[in-house]
Amino acid sequence: MSSTDHDASPEPIAFIDLRAQYRRLKADIDAAIARVLEDGRYVMGPAVAELEAALAARAGVAHAVTCASGTDALQIALMGEGIGPGDAVFIPSFTFTATAEVVALIGAAPVFVDVVEETYMIDPADLAARVSRVADEGRLVPRAVIAADLFGQAADYDSLAPIAAERGMLLIADAAQSFGGTSGGRPVGALAPVTTTSFYPAKPLGCFGDGGALFTDDAARAARWRSIRQHGTGEGKYDIVRIGLNSRFDTLQAAVLLAKLPAFDAEIAARERVAALYDSMLAGAVGLPGRLPGRRSTWAQYTIRLDRRDEVQAALAGQGIPTAVHYPLPMHLQPAYRSWGEGAGSLPVSERLCRRVLCLPMHADLDEPTAMRIARAVRDAAGG
């Protein structure tokens, strides 16, 4: 191969390009970090309270409580309600393990629910049926529903809320991938009585490590969360009023998020442009991500459905195009959760999706020629 041929090779494509984002926001991020280093308060410093106020305002709620991770946020939400042994928490099986593991960690029973194929999110009809069955059996008390807002879009909370209310269950929005989105003009954070999110670096709004937050309009609930995240403290550091966690938020991470927030809306708009391009070029060749009416997605992932998924993924890899499978196995079939599930065939949509989904590169710095190159390669590989 000549040097000219080598130079003409396509540039490597990043699945999520965090370095490009940092280069674009470097001055603001570096200045924010420097202020924390000068101040010296590295855990729960002043930037944390500033961030919580900004997050609450953006989410349209009275209270935002930060914590050490999105997983901790889910656990804190359940602990704050006193949910534990003998209680049932209903969750989609097509999700990341964090949604399920927090239920098991507090001693409650995860009850797995199927999802809607086009949107990938919890199916209200299947939820209603499974809640009724658990209530009729009488072995467990239905206490909560966790709806995972997969891939950036808010779940169907208008349908979920009456199901939860009928049984007196808490509805929790697991918005680890959707914070920054809207539904019917209302921001994610105000769509359910409790919302949690994650600031893991690969999320649409990510810090430089782990981090999470919870959102509510309920002052008493928020006070419990603040206690739980700091070892269950009450009025003073050594006044321990409940069992808690060590889940305080790092000031450096708060500073990073404060520096990123002003660019967040523009980044969501850039992701939407990539999604629209993918939609237009892939229509008819693959199953496109379904969009619920009135939603603004953050496009944490652009996830298609197709036959011969593994073959197509290998073909794309051969062209230097990275992809990911979220998720390769539903929770009810994972070894850790099989004792709570009902085996293969019990949640057919979740099981089918795990064989067919493929996530394409998606980030705010993905330029149009690269996105077009990706889409053309997908069409060719899929036979479209």
Side-chain angles (χ1 to χ4, degrees):
M1 179 182 293
S2 69
S3 60
T4 301
D5 291 336
H6 179 77
D7 292 343
S9 298
E11 288 292 320
I13 295 173
F15 185 71
I16 297 175
D17 199 340
L18 298 177
R19 290 181 296 178
Q21 184 197 47
Y22 174 61
R23 288 192 294 269
R24 177 166 42 83
L25 302 176
K26 184 178 188 302
D28 290 337
I29 291 172
D30 288 356
I33 290 173
R35 286 192 292 271
V36 176
L37 296 177
E38 284 292 328
D39 181 74
R41 286 174 283 182
Y42 301 131
V43 177
M44 298 297 294
V48 173
E50 183 182 351
L51 175 67
E52 289 179 341
L55 293 173
R58 184 178 185 97
V61 295
H63 305 279
V65 177
T66 54
C67 60
S69 71
T71 305
D72 277 5
L74 285 169
Q75 184 168 345
I76 290 168
L78 295 173
M79 291 173 66
E81 304 303 310
I83 295 172
D87 294 331
V89 179
F90 297 83
I91 64 172
S93 187
F94 188 70
T95 187
F96 182 59
T97 185
T99 314
E101 73 185 354
V102 295
V103 180
L105 283 170
I106 62 169
V111 178
F112 297 107
V113 180
D114 218 343
V115 297
V116 176
E117 187 149 9
E118 292 75 22
T119 67
Y120 314 114
M121 292 183 290
I122 194 165
D123 182 346
D126 193 55
L127 171 65
R130 292 179 187 275
V131 170
S132 294
R133 190 175 74 179
V134 168
D136 290 345
E137 287 174 350
R139 184 173 57 86
L140 298 168
V141 178
R143 289 292 307 279
V145 178
I146 302 177
D149 294 350
L150 274 199
F151 307 140
Q153 181 174 212
D156 185 3
Y157 290 102
D158 289 342
S159 297
L160 297 173
I163 299 169
E166 182 182 0
R167 301 285 182 178
M169 297 186 296
L170 175 66
L171 178 57
I172 300 173
D174 179 356
Q177 300 179 24
S178 66
F179 184 73
T182 60
S183 174
R186 299 175 64 208
V188 167
L191 304 178
V194 169
T195 299
T196 67
T197 196
S198 168
F199 301 122
Y200 183 75
K203 296 295 190 285
L205 180 63
C207 57
F208 287 174
D210 274 312
L214 305 95
F215 302 89
T216 188
D217 279 323
D218 188 323
R221 184 170 273 151
R224 291 195 298 273
W225 296 344
R226 294 187 184 100
S227 170
I228 292 169
R229 75 172 171 186
Q230 190 153 317
H231 299 291
T233 52
E235 294 299 320
K237 181 177 180 180
Y238 299 110
D239 176 31
I240 309 302
V241 298
R242 56 175 55 86
I243 302 298
L245 305 172
N246 179 9
S247 191
R248 297 164 298 195
F249 197 51
D250 291 346
T251 314
L252 285 167
Q253 304 302 347
V256 169
L257 292 175
L258 283 168
K260 287 187 174 188
L261 267 175
F264 192 31
D265 284 324
E267 291 183 348
I268 294 172
R271 288 169 176 264
E272 173 60 38
R273 288 192 292 271
V274 174
L277 186 151
Y278 282 159
D279 281 352
S280 65
M281 293 189 65
L282 294 177
V286 300
L288 300 179
R291 303 190 187 203
L292 289 167
R295 300 300 197 277
R296 181 198 194 196
S297 176
T298 62
W299 294 105
Q301 303 286 347
Y302 187 92
T303 305
I304 60 175
R305 305 179 305 283
L306 70 170
D307 298 323
R308 302 186 299 108
R309 188 266 313 280
D310 295 346
E311 182 182 331
V312 170
Q313 185 176 33
L316 295 174
Q319 299 179 57
I321 297 173
T323 57
V325 175
H326 300 303
Y327 300 94
L329 192 67
M331 288 301 107
H332 71 286
L333 298 183
Q334 292 281 2
Y337 303 115
R338 283 178 188 161
S339 63
W340 286 289
E342 297 177 14
S346 60
L347 297 175
V349 178
S350 296
E351 293 169 32
R352 184 165 58 249
L353 285 174
C354 287
R355 298 189 295 268
R356 301 191 70 228
V357 293
L358 188 66
C359 303
L360 305 182
M362 170 58 76
H363 55 86
D365 294 288
L366 186 62
D367 60 71
E368 183 174 322
T370 304
M372 292 178 67
R373 174 189 158 197
I374 293 165
R376 282 194 296 266
V378 172
R379 284 193 70 94
D380 291 346

